[in-house]
Structures are given as C-alpha cells and as structure tokens.
C-alpha cells in the first residue's frame, strides 16, 4: 500500500521528524494491511519493525506450551517487532513475542536493517544510552544473581556447619568418656581376676554381661515419672546389698532398661562376696554400650546431614530426571534448619501417594530455598514465633507444593510486583530482589509450571504447580527486555 509521509507523521513515534526523514522512512519502508491472524511468531528471525496506523493488535509470550496474552490495544502508533535491531549481532535478532491482529489492520513496516541505520544516524546519543541501559541491566542482573547465589551458599554453609557441629562434638565427648570407662573396666576386671573366684563363677558373670549388653539394645522408653520410680527402687536394692554408691549406678541402669529383677538375676549368678565388684563391672559394661550407641547415633546424624547436602546440591546426578519432590523438600528444610531456628514450627503436610515428576532437581531446590527464606523472614518480622507449613497435593494433572507462613502477609498494593526483578521489601543489604524472579523463571520457563501467591495477614501461601508428566523442558532463553506496544 502507498506510504504517505503526512500519515506517518501523525503517529506519535514520528511526529518530530523532518520532511526529509519522513521521506526516507517511506522510501525504505512500506505500509501493509493484515487480515485477522498472525503477523509474526516468537522465535522467528526479527526482520521488521512494525508501527500500527489503524486496527487492533494483541501480543503473546510463549510460557511452557501455551501462548499467554501480555498486551491488547487499538492505540495508533504502538510499535513492536525488531526493537533491538540497533544492537546488531551482539544479541540474537529474533522476535521475543508473537503478534496477531484481531481486525483488518494497517502497519508502517520498516526493515530491521533500515531501523538500525536510522537509529544510529539520527539518534546516536540515544542509541548509545539504550545500548548502555540494555547491557548494563543484563550485567547488573547477572552480577546480583551471582551474589544472590553466593549469599544463599554462605547461609547454607553456616547452617550446615552448625548442624554438623552438634553431633560431631557429641561423638568426640562420647569417645573421650568411652576411653575412660574402658580403662576403669579393665581395672575392675583385674580386681575380679585376682579374687579367689571359681571358673564357674566367672563364666556366670560373663554370661550376665552378655545378657546385659543385649538388654541395653532393647531399652524401653520411659516417662520421667517411671524413670524416677525405677531409680529409687534400684538405689534401695543396691544399698540393701551393701553398695553405698548405688545412687551413682541407678541412673545408668535405668537408661539401659535394667530393673530390680535384673539385679536379682545378677545376685543369683554370682557369689555374695563377688556381687559388689560384679555390679561395678556391669555398670562399666552398660556405660560403654550406651556410649557406643551415642557415637553411632552422632555419626549417623552426620551421615544424614552429608546425604542431605548431596541431595540438595544434586552432586553426581543428571540435571534433568524424575524426582520425588518430598526428598527435595526434606533436604532443603534440613539444610535450612539452622536459619529456620527453634522458634518457628515446621509442619510437613505431604501427600506421599504423589508420583515422581520430571524436573531439574537442583533448580527446584533453589526455588524451595527462596520460598522458605522469604517465609522465615516474614515470620521473624512479625516477632519470630510462627509456623511454616509445607504441603503437597495433587491438583488435576499437576502437583502442588505450597509454602504457608503465619507472617504479616503481602500488602495488596505490591502483590503484583513481588515477582519483578530487583523488587524487594527487605532492608538494604538483606535482599537483592531476585529470589522470587529467579524462582518464577525456574518454575514457569524451565518446568512449564506456575508460581502464584495468596496472602492475608497471618496466612501467606506461595503455590508451585508442576506438571506430573511433561517433555524435557528446553533451556531457558537469555532474558531480554519485554517488547510491548508503547
């Protein structure tokens, strides 16, 4: 269709251009009329810059397997298309959205090469400023994203170190005490060996020792009242049999699940003059058994923490595979337990019947970390006491992971902005504003899912919905500025 300099000068984008400039645009560009339907498609080579003269236009972005409408307008002069042509081959020159028209629509269409040339010739300073803004924002986002990951890593390392220190210190203490008890047991065994006891009596004592060790492994759990009553009964029995230090033995025997009936069996198995040394020797036997169980428990806890760290970081795992989200959630909560603290109650409301889902597990752990971190911050800002509930459920053909906190909630006036890059409500130095943006891109772009928030004072819920079955997601494209009609 013919291009009229007078007509395109009525568009706000070109209203300040000179007649010569308008003439060049009409010479190098053209006017095209499109019937309802697609104009261009996201991902195709960006060959043209479009300015609407009349009609109605809709822009879409591809999210997962769906086209999501991002803008709809009938305003004359709105533009879209090859908006980054002036950057040349420094960025991929493809359309970053799809455009359709809903009625017969006329556009002024300028080839991308011509648009880049006029930008550099007519507006050199503006072109330099826009280049700086574009690449500067990308570098800033990359640097702050790296900083965000380093801060998260430092927080996790501190929490893991704290969690490892407790069982490690317990194992060290138990080992030192065990060495002391074994030395005393050797001494007590020497006293027994020097006494004029028959081989049969010694054999009976050894048998009692073996049965005692077996009972320690099966010690029942007692209430404080039951333990106190049993200690009193044991102390009384020991004192009645001439052992003045019975009160020292009684707590150990109770912890091992031993009672008066067991002492009666010991008395029946050894001679009366041997009973005091035998009970002392068996006390050391019980103590060593308990200490070895304590060491085993401590080292097992260390092993579980290391396994959780490995699960969290997904070392030696395929980047994309089917995973049990409950394992990922448990490892993240364990890694963050030091940061969560004792004042926040963690409630796990899991649906264990849910199937595994295809995912990038390491990146989902990053999402869980960001959401738990935000929940902990919200609860702490409300006084520090509260509840964090992690719930999983099935919703149709998707799996729901919900993080609910009892913090003050997200104010309605900022709720639509919390997923924007660099937006944060945390004090300076405590947040970069990228945690939720990164989480949104991981869930939506890489996993074809959705991330949403529902909030009221005392009840804020971040909900992640993941497809139960899906093809392997494509790699997330490098972020580009949004192209919407302006």
């Amino acid at each position: 269709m013919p291009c009229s300099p007078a007509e395109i000068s009525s568009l706000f984008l070109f209203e300040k251009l000179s007649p010569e400039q308008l003439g060049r645009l009409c010479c190098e560009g053209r006017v095209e009329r499109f019937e309802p339907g697609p104009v261009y498609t996201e991902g195709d080579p960006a060959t043209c810059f479009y300015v609407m003269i009349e009609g109605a236009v809709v822009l879409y972005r591809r999210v997962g397997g769906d086209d999501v409408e991002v803008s709809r307008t009938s305003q004359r002069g709105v533009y879209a298309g090859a908006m980054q042509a002036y950057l040349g081959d420094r960025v991929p020159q493809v359309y970053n959205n799809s455009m359709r028209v809903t009625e017969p629509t006329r556009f002024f269409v300028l080839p991308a090469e011509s648009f880049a040339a006029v930008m550099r010739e007519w507006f050199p300073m503006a072109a330099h400023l826009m280049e700086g803004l574009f690449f500067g924002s990308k570098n800033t986002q990359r640097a702050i994203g790296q900083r965000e990951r380093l801060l998260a890593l430092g927080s996790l390392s501190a929490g893991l170190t704290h969690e490892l220190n407790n069982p490690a210190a317990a194992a060290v203490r138990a080992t030192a005490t065990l060495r002391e008890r074994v030395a005393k047991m050797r001494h007590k065994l020497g006293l027994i060996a020097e006494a004029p006891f028959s081989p049969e009596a010694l054999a009976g004592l050894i048998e009692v020792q073996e049965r005692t060790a077996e009972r320690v492994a099966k010690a029942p759990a007692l209430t404080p009242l039951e333990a106190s009553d049993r200690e009193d009964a044991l102390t009384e029995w020991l004192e009645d049999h001439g052992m003045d230090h019975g009160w020292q033995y009684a707590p150990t025997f109770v912890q091992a699940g031993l009672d008066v009936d067991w002492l009666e069996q010991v008395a029946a198995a050894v001679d009366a003059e041997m009973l005091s040394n035998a009970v002392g020797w068996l006390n050391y036997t019980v103590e060593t058994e308990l200490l070895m169980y304590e060491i085993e428990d401590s080292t097992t806890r260390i092993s579980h923490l290391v396994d959780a760290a490995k699960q969290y970081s997904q070392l030696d795992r395929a980047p994309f595979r089917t995973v049990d989200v409950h394992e990922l959630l448990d490892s993240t909560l364990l890694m963050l337990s030091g940061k969560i603290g004792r004042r926040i109650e963690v409630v796990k409301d899991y649906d264990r019947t849910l199937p595994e889902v295809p995912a990038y597990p390491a990146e989902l752990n990053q999402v869980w970390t960001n959401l738990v971190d935000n929940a902990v911050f919200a609860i702490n800002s409300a006084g520090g006491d509260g509840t964090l509930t992690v719930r999983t459920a099935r919703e149709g053909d998707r799996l729901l992971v919900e993080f609910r906190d009892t913090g003050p909630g997200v104010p309605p006036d900022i709720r639509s902005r919390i997923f924007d890059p660099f937006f944060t409500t945390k004090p300076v130095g405590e947040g970069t504003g990228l945690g939720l943006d990164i989480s949104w891109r991981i869930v939506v772009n890489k996993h074809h899912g959705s991330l949403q928030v529902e909030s009221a004072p005392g009840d804020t819920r971040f909900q992640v919905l993941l497809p139960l079955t899906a093809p392997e997601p494509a790699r997330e494209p490098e972020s580009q500025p949004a192209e919407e009609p302006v």
Side-chain angles (χ1 to χ4, degrees), residues 298-350:
S298 299
T299 53
T300 300
R301 288 171 58 196
I302 292 173
S303 178
H304 287 166
L305 285 166
V306 172
D307 286 343
K310 187 175 181 180
Q311 171 75 12
Y312 180 86
S313 61
Q314 293 296 305
L315 294 175
D316 303 324
R317 303 289 184 91
F320 181 82
R321 62 187 180 89
T322 56
V323 295
D324 182 350
V325 294
H326 304 110
E327 293 181 358
L328 304 183
L329 291 167
D330 286 341
S331 65
T332 300
L333 291 171
L334 182 57
M335 293 292 291
L336 294 174
S337 58
K339 188 168 191 175
I340 294 173
R342 299 181 181 275
R343 298 176 63 185
I344 298 177
E345 179 185 4
V346 177
V347 176
K348 298 178 182 179
D349 183 9
Y350 292 167

Side-chain angles (χ1 to χ4, degrees), residues 139-441:
N139 292 337
T140 299
Q141 185 167 351
R142 186 180 299 111
I144 294 183
Q146 181 68 16
R147 173 69 172 172
E148 181 98 357
R149 288 188 286 272
L150 289 174
L151 289 173
L153 179 61
S155 177
L156 287 171
S157 299
L160 180 60
T161 301
H162 174 75
E163 292 300 318
L164 286 171
N165 181 66
N166 291 333
V172 171
R173 289 193 304 269
T175 302
T177 307
L178 179 63
R179 181 179 291 110
E180 177 187 347
R181 294 297 184 271
V182 170
K184 290 184 176 181
M185 188 164 63
R186 289 198 302 266
H187 175 70
K188 185 69 70 174
L189 180 60
L191 295 177
I192 293 175
E194 292 174 359
F197 299 134
S198 66
E200 292 77 11
L202 290 175
L205 183 59
I206 296 299
E207 183 190 2
V208 171
Q209 183 189 38
E210 292 298 328
R211 287 192 282 113
T212 300
E214 293 177 2
R215 292 194 61 164
V216 173
K218 303 174 183 178
L222 301 176
T223 66
L225 183 59
E226 289 173 337
S228 177
D229 290 343
R230 186 171 291 189
E231 282 186 25
D232 292 341
L234 287 173
T235 301
E236 184 178 348
W237 189 95
L238 292 168
E239 290 176 351
D240 289 344
H241 288 74
M243 286 170 255
D244 296 334
H245 299 289
W247 59 273
Q248 293 178 320
Y249 296 157
T252 302
F253 290 159
V254 169
Q255 186 180 355
L258 307 179
D259 52 19
V260 171
D261 290 340
W262 170 79
L263 288 174
E264 293 288 355
Q265 294 175 27
V266 174
V270 300
D271 297 333
E273 65 272 15
M274 187 181 181
L275 181 60
S276 179
N277 284 334
V279 170
W281 186 47
L282 292 175
N283 176 67
Y284 292 136
T285 299
V286 171
E287 286 187 333
T288 55
E289 287 292 321
L290 292 174
L291 288 168
M292 284 189 287
Y293 281 118
E294 184 177 347
I295 293 171
E296 181 184 20
D297 179 67
S298 299
T299 53
T300 300
R301 288 171 58 196
I302 292 173
S303 178
H304 287 166
L305 285 166
V306 172
D307 286 343
K310 187 175 181 180
Q311 171 75 12
Y312 180 86
S313 61
Q314 293 296 305
L315 294 175
D316 303 324
R317 303 289 184 91
F320 181 82
R321 62 187 180 89
T322 56
V323 295
D324 182 350
V325 294
H326 304 110
E327 293 181 358
L328 304 183
L329 291 167
D330 286 341
S331 65
T332 300
L333 291 171
L334 182 57
M335 293 292 291
L336 294 174
S337 58
K339 188 168 191 175
I340 294 173
R342 299 181 181 275
R343 298 176 63 185
I344 298 177
E345 179 185 4
V346 177
V347 176
K348 298 178 182 179
D349 183 9
Y350 292 167
D351 180 358
R352 294 287 186 177
T353 66
L354 292 171
E356 294 185 341
V357 296
Y360 291 94
E363 299 197 21
L364 283 184
N365 280 338
Q366 187 176 4
V367 174
W368 311 150
T369 300
N370 291 334
L371 297 181
V372 170
D373 182 70
N374 282 353
V376 170
F377 177 83
I379 294 173
N380 287 335
S381 68
D385 293 308
T387 303
L388 168 62
T389 303
V390 183
R391 182 171 71 94
T392 62
R394 184 169 188 154
E395 290 199 358
D397 60 349
R398 296 191 294 178
L399 183 149
L400 168 69
V401 181
E402 180 182 80
F403 296 83
R404 177 186 178 188
D405 68 74
T406 55
V410 182
D413 57 324
I414 66 171
R415 202 168 297 165
S416 62
R417 302 172 57 198
I418 60 174
F419 296 110
D420 292 348
F422 307 111
F423 179 80
T424 181
T425 59
K426 297 179 181 178
V428 175
E430 292 192 25
T432 60
L434 284 178
L436 290 179
D437 169 58
I438 291 172
S439 300
W440 191 91
R441 287 191 281 114

